[in-house]
Amino acid sequence: MAARRQVASVCVRPCDVELARTLLAGSGVLVGTVAGFPHGDTRTTVKAAETRELVEAGADEIDMVLHIGRLRSGDTAYVHDIAAVVAAAQGHVVKVILENAYLSDEQKITGCRLTEKAGAHFVKTSTGFAPGGATLTDIRLMRAAVSSHIEVKAAGGVHSLDTLLTLHQAGATRFGATATAAILDDFAARGRGEQPPARATASGEGY
């Protein structure tokens, strides 16, 4: 489905990177996976080692979870484990999941700024495992907290085209969704062309 619909990427479990790479060969669809998932509480060295191994296995993009507990406690020095993952990714795209459902607005802004400072490419709202996912308020907040060369990914709760378009207008450029086919079918049915204004990531449940 992902290859046929030409989505941006497929996000899979770390153990499935090689399989996804084989199945998507020649399609132009990227293989994404996760590091430090889902709570971000593995040690920095483990996150970096996991990232290196996943890139060697064929992952094009790494969605890492920052250390949520350390961010909540104000330990921003520890949250710089983002930089270790960026270095281990060797130039591959790194998206940093904040898990906004557990953060105050101030903590979300801090997480966004730490992400940009560390050299990552995206800030992302959610893992899909927390009580809440992407919201319009959070997308606006995150977009305002980083410079224009950092992109915003909305994940969790993106179940319809209307939601996707609303979040896109607020500044999101990537969308993690399990309802990818339904969203793209709706887009085609509305007669607006073959591709939506921003690209989706087809995800396994919770990714």
Side-chain angles (χ1 to χ4, degrees), residues 153-171:
K153 181 175 178 180
V158 185
H159 301 311
S160 72
L161 178 60
D162 288 329
T163 298
L164 185 151
L165 293 173
T166 298
L167 297 178
H168 174 63
Q169 290 173 350

Side-chain angles (χ1 to χ4, degrees), residues 2-40:
R4 186 173 66 254
R5 302 300 187 106
Q6 282 295 285
V7 301
S9 67
V10 177
C11 192
V12 300
R13 299 175 301 179
C15 63
D16 294 327
V17 168
E18 291 94 341
L19 175 60
R21 189 75 178 179
T22 299
L23 294 174
L24 292 168
S27 70
V29 176
L30 303 175
V31 176
T33 191
V34 292
F37 205 78
H39 303 301

Side-chain angles (χ1 to χ4, degrees), residues 39-44 47 64-86 94-99 103 106-120 123:
H39 303 301
D41 52 6
T42 47
R43 294 178 63 85
T44 300
K47 282 184 184 175
M64 68 162 287
V65 188
L66 58 68
H67 198 300
I68 302 164
R70 295 298 180 100
L71 177 60
R72 283 170 54 93
S73 68
D75 188 358
T76 56
Y78 194 99
V79 180
H80 277 300
D81 64 353
I82 299 167
V85 170
V86 170
V94 174
K95 307 187 201 84
V96 178
I97 304 171
L98 305 184
E99 200 67 294
L103 305 177
E106 182 180 357
Q107 290 163 349
K108 294 167 194 173
I109 292 169
T110 298
C112 286
R113 291 176 176 169
L114 290 170
T115 295
E116 181 163 11
K117 185 176 181 180
V123 285

Side-chain angles (χ1 to χ4, degrees), residues 28 45 101 136:
T45 51
L136 181 59

